[in-house]
Amino acid sequence: MRNPLHQRLPVDPRTPALARRLLRQWLESGNWPVNASDDLVLAVNEAITNAVEHAFPADRRGGGIELDAHAEAGDDRARRVVVTVTDDGHWRPPPGDAGFRGRGLDMIRALVESLTVSPTASGTRVTMTSDPSADSRSLTPDRNGSPHAHPSGAAGG
């Protein structure tokens, strides 16, 4: 993960799958821990799915989604990954009552160490940080089906 990941993605129902593949390959190239990778890939999948479904109504499909990721050393010198998903769609604040939907941001928050969602001049930016050295419980079981410890902050990030 010496080189950052930067990819402009189309607004298309197949884009979340493409983003998962790109991010997983990038994380694997940097030997990022598998369980932390699984959680981060799931969180990014949700962010990109939200952009495809909510930021671009069916009558406005011409925009794009940026996927950016880089590794950095934190204050404690521990390695972490920061992933940003930015769309140039229509900003919509979360509804007060999402009904049976609207659990995506809570899920992302539970899977990563930190989450920031903010409007931009042309859409929405979602920034997620993964830090495998953080001491929290994950929602995602490891490859053997057991819960694993990593930066999820299941109580809210």
Side-chain angles (χ1 to χ4, degrees):
M1 292 189 299
R2 284 183 230 169
N3 296 321
L5 170 66
H6 175 78
Q7 189 73 44
R8 175 101 172 146
L9 303 168
V11 177
D12 183 276
R14 297 171 294 206
T15 295
L18 173 60
R20 288 192 308 267
R21 280 192 305 277
L22 291 168
L23 182 60
R24 184 165 306 281
Q25 290 169 353
W26 183 79
L27 292 165
E28 287 173 354
S29 76
N31 297 315
W32 200 245
V34 172
N35 292 332
S37 293
D38 289 346
D39 285 354
L40 187 56
V41 168
L42 180 58
V44 168
N45 179 75
E46 182 62 25
I48 296 216
T49 299
N50 283 347
V52 170
E53 289 183 6
H54 303 297
F56 298 96
D59 62 341
R60 190 172 179 256
R61 290 284 184 199
I65 300 168
E66 301 281 336
L67 173 63
D68 292 289
H70 67 274
E72 63 183 32
D75 295 338
D76 56 0
R77 301 223 182 258
R79 193 171 64 138
R80 72 180 97 222
V81 166
V82 178
V83 179
T84 303
V85 174
T86 307
D87 68 62
D88 54 9
H90 178 70
W91 164 258
R92 289 182 4 184
D97 178 13
F100 71 92
R101 296 197 57 167
R103 308 294 185 270
L105 291 177
D106 289 338
M107 182 179 74
I108 294 171
R109 198 171 284 112
L111 292 166
V112 297
E113 181 186 14
S114 68
L115 168 67
T116 304
V117 180
S118 54
T120 68
S122 61
T124 304
R125 178 178 300 117
V126 178
T127 303
M128 299 157 275
T129 303
S130 173
D131 179 353
S133 68
D135 191 12
S136 299
R137 187 181 73 75
S138 174
L139 297 178
T140 306
D142 68 16
R143 300 286 164 110
N144 297 318
S146 302
H148 62 275
H150 100 81
S152 64

